Amino acid sequence: MSLNLKDDVASLTYDAIVIGSGISGGWAAKELCEQGLKTLVLERGRNVEHNKDYPTATTPPWEFRYRGRINRQQQEENPLITKAAGYGDDCDHFFVKDADHPYIQEKPFDWIRGYQVGGKSLTWGRATQRWSEFEFTAPERFGYGIGWPIGYQDVAPWYSHVEKFIGICGNKDGLEAMPDGEFMKPFDMNAPLTHIKQKLNENYTDRHLVHARWAHLTDPQQVHLDQGRGKCQARNMCMRGCPFGGYFSSVSSTLPWAKKTGNLTIRPHSVVHSIIYDEKLGKASGVRVIDANTKEVIEYKARIIFLNASALNSNLVLLNSKSNRFPNGLGNDSGLLGKYIAFHNYRASVSADIDGFLDKYYFGRNPTDLILVNFRNLHKQETDFHGGYTTFMNAYRDQHTPETEQGQVGARYKDDLCEPGSWHVFAYLQGETVPKESNHVRLSEDKKDQWGIPLLVTSVSYDDNDERMVKDFHTQTSEMLEKAGCKNIQTYNNKQAPGLDIHEMGGVRMGKDPKTSLLNQWNQLHQCKNVFVTDGACMASTGNQSPSILYMALTARAATYAVSEMKKGNL
């Protein structure tokens, strides 16, 4: 990437500035650069380049001192970040250290972050199912949220635009609750899951277990080869960074593509302090940056600013962007900036055993799960909780048969290690939560970080709606697995704090009315039209699907609109 650490006068002015280099920031950079804008991407963390900076990508497990597991010192020094899904000794370099990036938890909240070029696109879960029209309309229809200013038809072509470029594997199932997209072949469905799918079809009319949609290249097309990416090798070591480019990240895909245009500059080690508002022009004029290493303050200028720092950091930047016109944060005339923070309900899971299929196995280490498509509260409110839920499901075999009478020693035990054991099934919840004004983030009045920026205070919690959803998930999933012939069914509620799902959303929500929202239908601040927010902060509700591909689609849509408006002289 093009690094610009020694700034001169000419380099301080760009057509566009993108704050953040992760999933949505990478897409903003790609679209703006492709459409001819000289674009500066600001990243608060270090630089990461595809392949070059994946130090553990091909390291065999026996070369890690603890076989990739977390050691006691790591856990004691980082009690928060070590909870993150996928965190281990083999990928800890893509996660922040707790002590380096403090925040204030007014209520328990696990804020999972990765500060480097590429952000959390290097460690995301990669599930990419589309929202349906149900998710865009349900909050207003059923009275638990505001109306979205857009619907599925507004976003559908942008979903396709994104899917073709990043590469999505899946199957076209013709389901109203999970629209089809632009797919390449999915990974195989293993034998027990094929059986469970059949039994669900026999016993229900509304329960559909399908190949999930995942950002993995199973059949690379020319556009992916042009990106320098190749087929997913089913290693399931994605959190280390993929040397094949088999899954999508901004480091392997969008940022290099933007670089090829000659219009991209990336500046790592750039902690964004605030967006600068020009009182005379009545719009934003640039971004104030603090060099992470030298503490030097630099002001960059641009006509368009895209804020893609991840949901909570985007809230922080706007809250800290104060001026005479906006004393409570940029665009915050409504007083709602930082409010209606929401997340996904990840607390519940179910496990079971299933007999038979001992002559069946599967290829490689499949990095994808199946999805039981949401069947709750679609056409009508039918439960005692609001929202729906996605169920991820998979089946696997024990690595070996149970221990022999001789224990874990001897020839018999070694032979057993070569034979897989019995089959087990697991399912876990990803549920919609209701955005509430009381769930909020704000700036600390007296505590600052090492760059002099106020610490973020998180005040977010679960509610009774979430508990009722967990109960329904346990009841319905247990019933379905029982009808499929599973046994030893166990339900779990880990009661984890919000945030650990890594799907925080809201605080700068889209809406039809400036009195109840911050952004319009194009992701523009109502009161500052040359600032666009297209990461999770823009969400008016959470839906039940994994949200990252919606952020990408909204970003591509907003960037194209922004360039059009700029060329018309409106920005």
Side-chain angles (χ1 to χ4, degrees):
M1 303 301 168
S2 174
L3 306 184
N4 184 26
L5 298 180
K6 294 183 179 179
D7 303 291
D8 53 38
V9 175
S11 70
L12 295 176
T13 302
Y14 293 83
D15 297 320
I17 295 174
V18 178
I19 302 172
S21 62
I23 278 175
S24 61
W27 263 94
K30 170 191 174 295
E31 296 296 310
L32 295 169
C33 287
E34 273 191 316
Q35 296 179 58
L37 272 61
K38 294 294 183 182
T39 303
L40 172 67
V41 172
L42 297 170
E43 168 55 52
R44 67 179 296 151
R46 63 189 174 92
N47 189 45
V48 169
E49 294 187 22
H50 182 50
N51 267 335
K52 176 183 174 183
D53 296 308
Y54 303 158
T56 63
T58 58
T59 305
W62 55 85
E63 290 188 11
F64 293 98
R65 184 174 181 182
Y66 303 103
R67 302 296 187 265
R69 294 184 177 90
I70 303 168
N71 63 59
R72 180 176 295 179
Q73 182 178 352
Q74 279 177 301
Q75 194 156 20
E76 290 176 350
E77 292 178 352
N78 300 280
L80 190 155
I81 202 67
T82 53
K83 298 177 187 176
Y87 181 98
D89 193 41
D90 56 348
C91 61
D92 64 334
H93 45 280
F94 290 142
F95 293 85
V96 302
K97 300 287 192 296
D98 286 3
D100 293 342
H101 302 284
Y103 64 103
I104 300 169
Q105 300 182 57
E106 188 168 81
K107 299 175 183 177
F109 186 91
D110 295 328
W111 189 8
I112 307 302
R113 291 161 288 171
Y115 292 155
Q116 62 267 321
V117 169
K120 289 183 290 188
S121 76
L122 289 162
T123 58
W124 68 306
R126 308 170 307 283
T128 51
Q129 64 270 44
R130 293 186 179 196
W131 273 33
S132 71
E133 188 65 21
F134 294 119
E135 284 71 52
F136 285 103
T137 62
E140 188 172 33
R141 278 191 295 133
F142 300 137
Y144 64 92
I146 64 170
W148 278 78
I150 56 175
Y152 176 72
Q153 293 304 321
D154 297 302
V155 186
W158 297 100
Y159 271 131
S160 293
H161 177 69
V162 168
E163 288 163 345
K164 291 175 183 177
F165 189 82
I166 71 175
I168 305 296
C169 64
N171 191 58
K172 293 194 175 186
D173 301 294
L175 299 175
E176 189 179 19
M178 196 167 76
D180 293 329
E182 312 294 334
F183 304 141
M184 55 189 70
K185 63 181 181 181
F187 284 85
D188 291 337
M189 189 179 296
N190 63 40
L193 293 176
T194 302
H195 167 79
I196 292 171
K197 176 181 176 67
Q198 178 184 343
K199 290 300 181 183
L200 291 178
N201 291 340
E202 292 174 2
N203 287 280
Y204 302 92
T205 59
D206 63 343
R207 313 292 167 94
H208 305 285
L209 183 63
V210 302
H211 292 285
R213 291 80 197 264
W214 298 82
H216 286 266
L217 297 180
T218 55
D219 183 20
Q221 303 299 298
Q222 189 60 49
V223 67
H224 309 122
L225 301 177
D226 291 344
Q227 295 171 43
R229 299 168 60 201
K231 183 177 180 179
C232 173
Q233 301 297 302
R235 302 186 318 146
N236 199 21
M237 295 191 289
C238 311
M239 292 284 186
R240 301 183 184 188
C242 180
F244 306 96
Y247 75 88
F248 167 80
S249 75
S250 57
V251 170
S252 67
S253 179
T254 46
L255 291 176
W257 194 267
K259 179 189 174 185
K260 289 193 294 186
T261 67
N263 292 325
L264 176 68
T265 298
I266 296 181
R267 193 186 197 281
H269 304 295
S270 299
V271 179
V272 172
H273 175 278
S274 54
I275 295 172
I276 302 166
Y277 183 76
D278 189 307
E279 307 273 349
K280 294 181 180 179
L281 296 176
K283 62 181 181 180
S285 60
V287 177
R288 185 173 292 111
V289 168
I290 302 173
D291 187 284
N293 298 319
T294 68
K295 307 293 176 68
E296 178 186 7
V297 178
I298 308 165
E299 293 185 357
Y300 292 97
K301 305 296 182 182
R303 291 176 63 184
I304 295 172
I305 297 167
F306 268 70
L307 183 50
N308 301 93
S310 81
L312 298 194
N313 272 321
S314 290
N315 276 273
L316 190 159
V317 168
L318 290 175
L319 286 165
N320 203 44
S321 301
K322 298 180 180 180
S323 62
N324 291 331
R325 169 66 180 85
F326 296 110
N328 299 312
L330 183 62
N332 192 22
D333 285 355
S334 66
L336 296 179
L337 179 60
K339 297 179 180 179
Y340 294 98
I341 299 294
F343 48 93
H344 272 149
N345 186 349
Y346 254 74
R347 298 172 70 173
S349 60
V350 178
S351 67
D353 302 330
I354 186 166
D355 290 335
F357 312 104
L358 296 182
D359 61 338
K360 305 295 183 184
Y361 205 67
Y362 39 82
F363 168 76
R365 302 172 66 198
N366 186 344
T368 72
D369 295 328
L370 268 61
I371 281 182
L372 180 66
V373 181
N374 176 44
F375 55 91
R376 286 309 201 197
N377 301 325
L378 296 173
H379 293 282
K380 62 181 180 179
Q381 179 67 44
E382 59 186 355
T383 67
D384 62 352
F385 60 87
H386 289 301
Y389 54 82
T390 285
T391 302
F392 291 99
M393 187 179 294
N394 217 325
Y396 65 96
R397 294 191 73 170
D398 284 328
Q399 292 184 343
H400 56 83
T401 53
E403 295 175 19
T404 65
E405 294 179 1
Q406 289 84 4
Q408 295 185 9
V409 294
R412 174 74 180 277
Y413 178 67
K414 291 180 181 179
D415 289 341
D416 285 347
L417 289 176
C418 297
E419 295 294 331
S422 56
W423 285 93
H424 308 277
V425 179
F426 67 86
Y428 59 96
L429 169 74
Q430 181 176 282
E432 183 173 355
T433 62
V434 176
K436 298 178 297 184
E437 187 172 2
S438 59
N439 278 345
H440 73 279
V441 296
R442 64 182 189 275
L443 300 182
S444 171
E445 296 180 359
D446 57 354
K447 293 182 174 59
K448 297 183 178 181
D449 64 17
Q450 58 265 52
W451 300 287
I453 298 172
L455 295 185
L456 194 69
V457 180
T458 59
S459 186
V460 181
S461 60
Y462 287 99
D463 60 19
D464 290 341
N465 192 77
D466 304 316
E467 296 297 338
R468 291 192 290 271
M469 179 180 288
V470 166
K471 183 178 179 181
D472 186 75
F473 166 80
H474 280 155
T475 299
Q476 296 300 318
T477 307
S478 297
E479 177 189 281
M480 286 184 278
L481 291 179
E482 183 177 12
K483 288 185 177 181
C486 297
K487 62 181 185 179
N488 299 326
I489 299 170
Q490 302 289 325
T491 62
Y492 306 91
N493 182 352
N494 61 23
K495 299 187 181 296
Q496 67 186 37
L500 201 56
D501 58 276
I502 325 180
H503 289 171
E504 60 267 11
M505 303 176 227
V508 197
R509 65 182 183 175
M510 298 175 71
K512 304 171 185 175
D513 186 348
K515 294 180 180 179
T516 59
S517 62
L518 278 296
L519 305 171
N520 67 11
Q521 73 270 32
W522 298 107
N523 294 80
Q524 291 172 291
L525 283 173
H526 287 300
Q527 310 301 337
C528 189
K529 293 298 176 83
N530 67 331
V531 175
F532 295 77
V533 183
T534 61
D535 62 10
C538 78
M539 300 289 278
S541 58
T542 74
N544 62 85
Q545 298 89 341
S546 299
S548 297
I549 194 167
L550 179 53
Y551 305 163
M552 293 187 251
L554 291 174
T555 301
R557 178 177 181 266
T560 299
Y561 174 80
V563 174
S564 173
E565 288 295 291
M566 191 184 80
K567 291 179 178 178
K568 293 176 184 176
N570 295 332
L571 294 178

